[in-house]
Structure formats: structure tokens, C-alpha cells
Amino acid sequence: MALGPLGGEYHVNERMERKSSGKRRVFVQTETGCVLGMELDRSDNAHTVKRKLQLALNVPIEESSLICGDTVLKNDLSVVRNDSPLLLTRNFLHRSSSTPCFSPTGRDLQQRDQSGPIEILGCSNQSPRTKDLVKDIAKAIKSGTDPIPVRSGLGGAYYFRNCLGENVAIVKPTDEEPYAPNNPKGFVGKTLGQPGLKRTVRVGETGFREVAAYLLDHDHFANVPSTALVKITHPVFNVNDGVNGYIHQNRNQVSKIASLQQFIPHDFDASDHGTSSFPVTAVHRIGILDIRILNTDRHAGNLLVRKLDGVGRFGQVELVPIDHGLCLPESLEDPYFEWIHWPQASISFSEDELQYIDHLDPFWDSDMLRMELPMIREACLRVLVLCTIFLKEAAAFGLCLAEIGGMMSREFRGHDEKPSELELICIDARTLLVEREISTSEVKEGDKDEFQFDLDCEEEVLELTSNMEEELTVETAFHFGPKGRNGHNLLYKLDERVEEEEAAEDTEGDELPLRGDEHAGLVPDRNLNVSKLSLSMKNISVAEKSWRHPGASQKCGYLVGTSSGNMSANEQFPVSSSFVKLADMSEEEWRQFLEYFQKLLHPAFERHKSGSVGQRQRQRLGTSCQF
């Protein structure tokens, strides 16, 4: 047991820590949606797991990879925790849909999969309410109480009921998401693991994001309903013809990996009610969560409204945030915060809210999510760290919720999408990192022939690096008007060296960096010097190659540099640019990047508060997926 950042207890699942005891249970899913629960012996490796999957589900395993989050399991399975979901995916160059995925017969399933009708995956920190909810659903399934499909939305979802026929949970299978193979509403065409509605959120990975939002809602601060990742079996689930090749006689054996969220009885959603009656505290708390997790789809339809009855409560309501599947993208995205224009968001934070924000620890949160959701990608955790640091520093500076959300949202001028103020800070920090690396490299090259001793060389490198930084720094003072820089005076030399590095990065492989926990030395510093760089952003267009590369290559699972004006695979949903990539940095580079990032925050807040950016007329056209 360990203490969380807000004083709550964090219970480590003993089952997750018993790798040395031998037996572990995992749930392997194919990229077309088939799921099999299996016991791992100490002698099992990636090949034997794939072989078991082939025998049970008759799936092809040639030229395939077994994946857990960022990790491709080559042979050793010691990193796989108990109750983890794994994904079997065909290698890209050999991807083929000619071989169907057949469901096993009842006898085969009985021999190979001893799963119950519903089982919780991964998380050890489930509340008693969630466990009781799962028991009620299992009991209802056995008694013959059928779920009800949800007609609204773009993905497959189902209301599961208790034995009394009451809706108690909403279940969203991962293979029925928009674009997923078994989507029941016609939005198909991709396999699990490919870019989805948002190119920074992959198909089949919204479910664990729903769970992550719940786990990050410490002390039930924002009122996120209890949520878990489950393996669940029921004939109500959709299976598209020609996708999995399920045998219809055995449809009662269809198993899915899905998110399960407690159903909250409510009177309406925020789109059916005037926002002026919403409590300031509720709006602030939901906004704080949305900023931390970079929610790209907070619209009125996923804010449930409950009327509060009782003496003295006439007209009072409670807000319940749901649908967090498009949070924690793999790179900085344009968020969609519908509350940004509500009057409550312009009211200053209360002392309680400031205290809550101050106690947030993004590194503890990251470690917790790695333990509870081992499939989560490191890039998502870096977004969490970056946005939480931004929130903490902005709140401490005195910015309100609307100002913070505004700095995170992109601006549209005509048909061009401009980076947000947060993204500009990240671009500044990244360029400082590149400049430092280039300078250090040049110093080391020049020192080879001049120094005989390594110690002298190291001292000279440190001295020259220090001198370089002193020459680049100026006092933290900002001038506006004729001599000012009209909004962004921390600007990069986007010179050939940076373009060459980006071009080299775009030609690299798709592997994400290894995970690490090194985050020492990240101490807030509000008495800062800032790099004085020469190039103003005011004449830089998104269409220029500094921002967008023609024929942008795929990096870390999503396309870099594609404009939000382009259309996605079925030409119905916009995709957005990735101005900032976080996954391509080593652990040391990431640590140094965060140091630069924190040093640039205070001046950016000063500029925003001064009105040079904040008072400029902006056109915010962020899109909601209504997912």
C-alpha cells in the first residue's frame, strides 16, 4: 500500500506482483476483435501464446506480433502482468484480410478459456462499488436479463441491467469503436491499433482511456463514474459479416474487451439545459480534469445533469462527466473544451481547488497508470505530465480556467490552423534542446585535438555551454507596442538544422522510446531568464514546411503534419496537425525538455495576462466527435 498525491491509499494488486509464482492470466485480442483468456505458465513465451491462440480461434499467426502497449513481446513474457490485455497484430508489410478469424466451438472454449461472463482486467484499485456492479451484471446475465443496445453515438455501446431490469452500466467493446472491425453503425475500415477518429488515439484504445480518467479523478473530485476494463461475453454484441467469421450457432460465445462504466440516472445532458445554472465548483472540477488529461472531446452531450431534490435545493443540479475515450492523446492535440465560453470558467479558482491542483503529482500518476493499465503508451503519459505541469504553474500564477483552456486551444485564421500557446511554448523548449545538443556536439568535436585529458575537456564543455546560455538569456521583461513582438517574443530559429533533424526523425522507425522513471530536478522556478531568439511567428503559416511536411511520414502510430482541413479515411471527420511530438525524445532529452518547458511558462503567462495574446480576437473552431 502506498499514499497517493492527495493522501489517498493506493493498493497494489498482489496478483500483479506474483510473476515469480508462475501462473498468470492474460486476455489476448486479435486486431479484428477475437478475444481469448488464457493461463500463462512459467515456460510460456510469445510463440506459445500465439500458438494457443491459433488452436483456439483458428487465427493466422505467421508474420504476426504480440504487443502489450508500447512493448513488442519478442519471446520473454516476464514483463506481462496478471490480467493484462495483449494484442496480436499482423506485421504491416504482410497484413492480409484473406484469412478469416473463426470462433472456436463450445468444446474448444471450454477446454481453453475458463472465463466467467464478465471479468475485470488489469486494475487493482477498483472500488467496492465497481466490484459489486460486476457481480450484479454477472448474476443478471445468468438469469437471462439481456442488455439493450444504445442507438446514439458513433460506436457500439450497450446498457447492461441488473436482475430488476434497471440500467446499471454502459459497456463499450473496443472492437466496436468508430472505424473498428465490428462497429455496428457502418463506421468500419480499420484494424485495432491503427489511427482512429483522432489520429493521436488508436482504434481499440479508447476503453483504457475511460478507465484512466476515472483513476486520475482522485478523491472523486470531478465526479467521474466508476469505470473498469473488462472481458465480457454475451450474444448481444455485434459481429460484422466477413470480419471475424464467427459461427452463428455459437454467437453466445462472443467475447469482447470493453470499458464498463457505472450508469448514472440523470434528467438530461448539458445540451438540454441552460449552462448558467451549473455550479461554479462543478464546472471548475470538470475543467481541471479535462486540462490534465487533454480531453479532445468535452462537449455538452457528455456532461450529464442531475436535479438535486430536497429542502433548499430548488433549481440546483449536479454535473457528471462521461465519455473520456478521446483523452490522453499520443501527442499534443487541439482540445475541445465546451466549458471554455461558460461564465463559470472565468471565475477564479477557490482555495480548495488551488490546493487540489497544488497537490497533483503527474509523475506519481504516471507510475500508477503504468501499474494499473500496463497497455497504456508512454506518449500518453508524457501528455499527462506536460498538461498537469502546465495546469499547476498556470493556476499558481493566477490564471482562471478559461484562460488556461484558451492557452491550450488552437487558433484558426482562414483555413490555417495555428499552434496553441501551449504548443508554442513546447516548440520553444524543443528548439532550446536542439540548440543545446548542437552546441555541445560542436564543442566536443572541436575539443578532440585540443585536450589531452578527459577531465579538462568536460570542464571546458560545461563552461562553454554555460556561456552560451548566458549569452542567450535576457531579463524577464517584455515590451509591447512598436518595439514589441506582438504576442510571441520567445521564437525559434527554425533554421535548416532543425528542418534537417525533423526530416531525419520522419525517416526513422515507428518504435516508441523505452519507459523510464527519471524525472529528478524538475523544480518549479518562477524567477526565470528566457532565451532571446530571432524569428517572429507572425509571418509563419501552417502551410509552410517548417510546420507541415508534404507526404508526411508516420511516426509513433500517427501522421505528423497533416492539416485539420484534410479528411480522414471515410472523409467524414477532420484530422488535426501534430505540431509537437513528445514520444521521440529519449528519457534524458525528455527530462531536459521539461526543464526548459517550465522555465518558459512564467514569461508566457505574463504575455497572456498582459493582453497581447488574450485580448486578440480569436476564432476557435475545435471539433467534437460526439463519441
Side-chain angles (χ1 to χ4, degrees), residues 349 354 357-358 385-399 404 407 522-528 594 597-602 605:
F349 290 120
L354 288 174
I357 293 171
D358 183 61
V385 169
L386 197 73
C387 292
T388 304
I389 291 174
F390 184 74
L391 168 66
K392 288 167 69 70
E393 296 292 331
F397 182 83
L399 299 186
I404 298 172
M407 291 187 72
L522 297 177
V523 180
D525 182 2
R526 296 188 177 89
N527 298 313
L528 306 170
L594 287 180
F597 174 75
Q598 286 187 281
K599 289 182 179 181
L600 293 170
L601 287 179
H602 189 271
F605 298 150

Side-chain angles (χ1 to χ4, degrees), residues 329-621:
E330 292 184 35
S331 66
L332 288 187
E333 262 276 9
D334 186 29
Y336 186 83
F337 301 144
E338 185 146 329
W339 44 255
I340 200 171
H341 303 295
W342 297 354
Q344 296 92 331
S346 295
I347 297 176
S348 300
F349 290 120
S350 68
E351 287 301 320
D352 288 344
E353 291 160 356
L354 288 174
Q355 185 177 11
Y356 181 91
I357 293 171
D358 183 61
H359 287 155
L360 293 172
D361 183 346
F363 302 107
W364 186 94
D365 286 338
S366 297
D367 290 341
M368 180 269 294
L369 290 181
R370 288 188 187 101
M371 175 63 69
E372 299 291 349
L373 299 170
M375 75 296 296
I376 196 168
R377 298 178 185 274
E378 191 69 17
C380 306
L381 299 179
R382 290 185 173 185
V383 168
L384 171 66
V385 169
L386 197 73
C387 292
T388 304
I389 291 174
F390 184 74
L391 168 66
K392 288 167 69 70
E393 296 292 331
F397 182 83
L399 299 186
C400 67
L401 184 62
E403 290 174 313
I404 298 172
M407 291 187 72
M408 299 176 72
S409 301
R410 293 177 183 172
E411 179 184 1
F412 289 79
R413 293 183 187 175
H415 298 290
D416 285 341
E417 185 178 26
K418 300 293 183 181
S420 67
E421 292 173 71
L422 171 61
E423 289 173 307
L424 290 175
I425 297 169
C426 290
I427 294 168
D428 287 344
R430 186 61 185 270
T431 299
L432 284 175
L433 181 63
V434 172
E435 293 285 349
R436 180 187 179 95
E437 291 174 349
I438 292 175
S439 176
T440 302
S441 176
E442 290 175 349
V443 169
K444 288 182 178 180
E445 286 293 326
D447 288 345
K448 283 183 178 180
D449 299 328
E450 298 180 15
F451 293 93
Q452 296 180 350
F453 302 100
D454 291 341
L455 182 60
D456 293 338
C457 181
E458 290 175 3
E459 291 176 351
E460 185 69 8
V461 168
L462 292 174
E463 181 180 352
L464 290 176
T465 302
S466 176
N467 292 338
M468 175 198 70
E469 292 182 345
E470 290 178 5
E471 291 173 1
L472 286 173
T473 56
V474 294
E475 294 292 333
T476 309
F478 300 91
H479 306 282
F480 301 96
K483 296 183 179 180
R485 301 203 178 185
N486 193 24
H488 187 68
N489 68 335
L490 303 178
L491 304 166
Y492 280 46
K493 298 177 181 178
L494 297 177
D495 55 15
E496 295 180 359
R497 286 180 295 183
V498 177
E499 292 182 10
E500 288 171 0
E501 185 198 53
E502 290 179 348
E505 289 175 353
D506 287 341
T507 60
E508 294 176 358
D510 295 333
E511 291 187 4
L512 293 173
L514 295 176
R515 293 178 174 170
D517 300 317
E518 186 176 354
H519 47 75
L522 297 177
V523 180
D525 182 2
R526 296 188 177 89
N527 298 313
L528 306 170
N529 291 330
V530 184
S531 171
K532 180 171 69 177
L533 299 165
S534 62
L535 184 61
S536 173
M537 288 288 299
K538 63 184 179 180
N539 295 322
I540 293 183
S541 167
V542 176
E544 292 177 6
K545 64 180 179 178
S546 297
W547 295 122
R548 184 171 62 209
H549 303 284
S553 60
Q554 191 164 342
K555 180 77 174 176
C556 300
Y558 54 89
L559 293 180
V560 175
T562 55
S563 170
S564 63
N566 298 335
M567 303 306 291
S568 53
N570 66 356
E571 298 187 351
Q572 293 196 41
F573 304 100
V575 296
S576 57
S577 307
S578 291
F579 295 119
V580 177
K581 295 181 292 184
L582 303 177
D584 57 350
M585 287 182 273
S586 68
E587 284 300 317
E588 174 58 27
E589 290 171 335
W590 170 239
R591 186 194 64 79
Q592 186 65 55
F593 170 83
L594 287 180
E595 289 185 6
Y596 285 134
F597 174 75
Q598 286 187 281
K599 289 182 179 181
L600 293 170
L601 287 179
H602 189 271
F605 298 150
E606 291 278 8
R607 289 198 312 277
H608 185 90
K609 204 70 175 179
S610 71
S612 66
V613 176
Q615 295 178 7
R616 190 174 61 208
Q617 183 64 34
R618 292 187 168 209
Q619 184 182 14
R620 301 285 190 196
L621 297 176

Side-chain angles (χ1 to χ4, degrees), residues 53-357:
L53 199 68
Q54 183 183 43
L55 292 174
L57 299 180
N58 194 26
V59 295
I61 61 172
E62 298 80 11
E63 302 296 341
S64 64
S65 297
L66 195 63
I67 298 174
C68 181
D70 291 335
T71 306
V72 177
L73 302 172
K74 299 294 186 180
N75 190 34
D76 182 27
L77 300 182
S78 61
V79 298
V80 178
R81 297 194 181 100
N82 195 57
D83 289 339
S84 293
L86 308 179
L87 177 65
L88 180 74
T89 180
R90 303 297 301 279
N91 295 340
F92 182 78
L93 294 177
H94 301 274
R95 192 180 302 279
S96 172
S97 59
S98 60
T99 305
C101 170
F102 294 102
S103 176
T105 66
R107 181 179 178 183
D108 289 337
L109 276 172
Q110 187 175 12
Q111 291 176 349
R112 294 179 173 85
D113 192 342
Q114 301 296 325
S115 300
I118 178 171
E119 296 187 24
I120 298 178
L121 278 63
C123 285
S124 64
N125 202 23
Q126 289 300 331
S127 64
R129 180 185 304 174
T130 304
K131 295 177 181 178
D132 291 340
L133 183 63
V134 168
K135 291 178 182 177
D136 289 344
I137 292 173
K139 189 182 300 182
I141 291 175
K142 291 180 180 179
S143 69
T145 304
D146 291 330
I148 302 173
V150 179
R151 301 302 176 189
S152 60
L154 302 177
Y158 305 85
Y159 292 125
F160 273 70
R161 302 184 287 175
N162 59 19
C163 293
L164 300 178
E166 301 167 330
N167 292 342
V168 294
I170 182 168
V171 172
K172 299 177 182 178
T174 57
D175 67 331
E176 297 188 28
E177 294 177 8
Y179 296 163
N182 290 313
N183 180 276
K185 298 170 183 176
F187 300 105
V188 296
K190 295 188 177 183
T191 57
L192 302 184
Q194 292 184 312
L197 276 178
K198 299 281 187 178
R199 297 199 66 83
T200 52
V201 177
R202 307 186 195 209
V203 175
E205 296 188 2
T206 64
F208 73 73
R209 287 175 165 85
E210 297 260 18
V211 181
Y214 168 67
L215 294 174
L216 291 170
D217 187 22
H218 302 303
D219 297 337
H220 209 51
F221 186 73
N223 210 21
V224 178
S226 299
T227 313
L229 197 66
V230 299
K231 184 207 173 195
I232 188 166
T233 303
H234 201 280
V236 72
F237 293 133
N238 183 69
V239 178
N240 289 327
D241 293 336
V243 176
N244 284 0
Y246 279 104
I247 302 173
H248 292 287
Q249 292 87 336
N250 292 318
R251 286 189 63 87
N252 62 333
Q253 301 292 350
V254 175
S255 297
K256 306 268 185 158
I257 290 178
S259 64
L260 179 147
Q261 187 170 83
Q262 178 190 7
F263 176 79
I264 303 297
H266 56 281
D267 297 286
F268 32 74
D269 62 47
S271 63
D272 299 324
H273 194 272
T275 60
S276 61
S277 66
F278 295 160
V280 174
T281 300
V283 174
H284 281 192
R285 291 184 172 205
I286 292 170
I288 288 169
L289 175 68
D290 286 341
I291 287 171
R292 290 172 61 204
I293 63 179
L294 193 63
N295 194 346
T296 65
D297 194 35
R298 172 62 73 211
H299 56 83
N302 55 40
L303 284 176
L304 305 182
V305 183
R306 301 175 65 183
K307 293 180 179 179
L308 298 178
D309 299 325
V311 179
R313 286 189 162 188
F314 178 76
Q316 294 184 18
V317 298
E318 176 187 31
L319 297 183
V320 180
I322 60 171
D323 294 347
H324 298 101
L326 295 178
C327 71
L328 295 177
E330 292 184 35
S331 66
L332 288 187
E333 262 276 9
D334 186 29
Y336 186 83
F337 301 144
E338 185 146 329
W339 44 255
I340 200 171
H341 303 295
W342 297 354
Q344 296 92 331
S346 295
I347 297 176
S348 300
F349 290 120
S350 68
E351 287 301 320
D352 288 344
E353 291 160 356
L354 288 174
Q355 185 177 11
Y356 181 91
I357 293 171

